Amino acid sequence: MDIALLILGFLLMLVGILGSFLPVLPGPPISWLGLLLLYLTRAVPDNWWVLGVTFVIAITITILDYIIPAMGTRRFGGSKAGMWGTIIGLLVALFVPIFGPLGIIIWPFIGALVGELLNKANKKTAMKAAFGSFLGFLTGTFMKLVVTVMYTIFYVYITIKYAGDLFTFG
């Protein structure tokens, strides 16, 4: 059973890394599930502090990933309409895959642009706010990637540390 948990946990780590880029997969929580499966093996001792801290980090990064593009819009001169447009654009990207994987970049940009134009901003201000949304997206993606890669490195470290107990076939 430990080997099955180990393999499934590692697959979740890889899916978590992919989730850093793909809009439909929440990368950090998926990677955290991989850590949880590792700690559910008989060979790895329970460490609820590690699981608790990594869970809080995964959830925080996931929430920030939705907030940061809106903050980027605001930072670059966008209004509340632009921030709401960014959020709506992110939601559209999740449920309407018209632009495929690029939709997670394009839709928030379009949302911020439309929100600003509806708020009677000039084209220059609207474009600047939409660019802020794009930078926010890149920041969120980078944060998710760092967390999921760190979780994967930690997963491999713990697996190697307890390899003698994990890989007993007797």
Side-chain angles (χ1 to χ4, degrees), residues 19 111 137 147 165:
F137 164 76
V147 167
D165 295 326

Side-chain angles (χ1 to χ4, degrees), residues 10-11 31 90 118 132 137 161:
F10 188 71
L11 289 174
S31 288
L90 280 168
L118 288 175
F137 164 76
K161 182 176 179 179

Side-chain angles (χ1 to χ4, degrees), residues 28-29 32 50-64 147 151:
W32 181 83
V50 168
L51 288 173
V53 168
T54 54
F55 178 75
V56 168
I57 291 169
I59 296 304
T60 302
I61 292 297
T62 301
I63 291 169
L64 285 174
V147 167
Y151 283 8

Side-chain angles (χ1 to χ4, degrees), residues 30-110:
I30 291 173
S31 288
W32 181 83
L33 286 173
L35 284 176
L36 177 64
L37 291 181
L38 179 63
Y39 276 94
L40 290 176
T41 63
R42 285 180 285 144
V44 179
D46 293 340
N47 190 335
W48 297 110
W49 282 103
V50 168
L51 288 173
V53 168
T54 54
F55 178 75
V56 168
I57 291 169
I59 296 304
T60 302
I61 292 297
T62 301
I63 291 169
L64 285 174
D65 186 47
Y66 289 98
I67 294 172
I68 288 175
M71 290 172 50
T73 303
R74 183 74 170 164
R75 177 95 167 128
F76 279 78
S79 65
K80 285 189 181 191
M83 290 192 316
W84 278 108
T86 301
I87 292 168
I88 291 168
L90 280 168
L91 294 174
V92 169
L94 292 174
F95 299 110
V96 183
I98 290 176
F99 296 117
L102 290 177
I104 197 68
I105 297 169
I106 295 168
W107 283 114
F109 184 86
I110 291 171

